[in-house]
Amino acid sequence: MAPKTVKHRAKPASRSSRPTPRLAARTARKAASVKAVRAVTVGRPAVKGKPLSRREVTELRQVLGQERQRLMAELEAMEEHTPEVEEQVGMDIGGGYDEDLADVASTTFEREKSVALESSVQHVLTQVEEALERIEEGTYGRCLRCGNFIDYARLKVLPYATLCIRCKELEEKTAR
Ligand SMILES: [Zn+2]
């Protein structure tokens, strides 16, 4: 009776209780190909670009946090300012003089400009907040369209970018 060897571990689970060498080889090949597939789907080669390092994410999170503070302060300042302008417009309309009309027009224009500015500040603030959420979720730095990593250089310039440069260019081309 041959002593049990440690080398022979668990037999491959199969219907045949005595695996033939050919079956064993096939099982090994199958295992190898499964490993290869896993490497492609889980590993980095499937996604283009370089993931952000932890330090880069920390740095960008800080930049985004500061940007959020700045934009919120700006919005607050605008909201304090807007009622004054509206009051002025009301007064001018009540006056009814021709020369006041020019003032009304310019005041209206100013007000429209400030409303547009406010909504654009609000828009950027929303994007900044969404970027911070993506950092929390761990999806930050990936292109929302193709899934590739967005270049760190691009994120440094635009930390709330949602698209890689290629997709952004594509989007701009189709928008035209
Ligand atoms: Zn992309």
Side-chain angles (χ1 to χ4, degrees), residues 8-72:
H8 283 285
R9 284 188 198 155
K11 282 179 188 175
S14 73
R15 266 177 225 169
S16 131
S17 52
R18 274 190 301 165
T20 62
R22 234 171 72 199
L23 183 67
R26 208 198 296 163
T27 315
R29 262 207 312 276
K30 205 175 162 191
S33 77
V34 165
K35 238 181 223 174
V37 168
R38 220 174 268 160
V40 170
T41 50
V42 176
R44 284 170 191 178
V47 181
K48 284 179 193 159
K50 209 172 119 258
L52 294 169
S53 72
R54 206 170 280 206
R55 225 182 63 202
E56 285 165 345
V57 173
T58 306
E59 187 194 311
L60 291 166
R61 181 199 274 139
Q62 207 176 348
V63 170
L64 284 163
Q66 283 167 358
E67 187 68 0
R68 181 172 60 179
Q69 290 297 106
R70 194 185 67 78
L71 291 167
M72 277 163 74

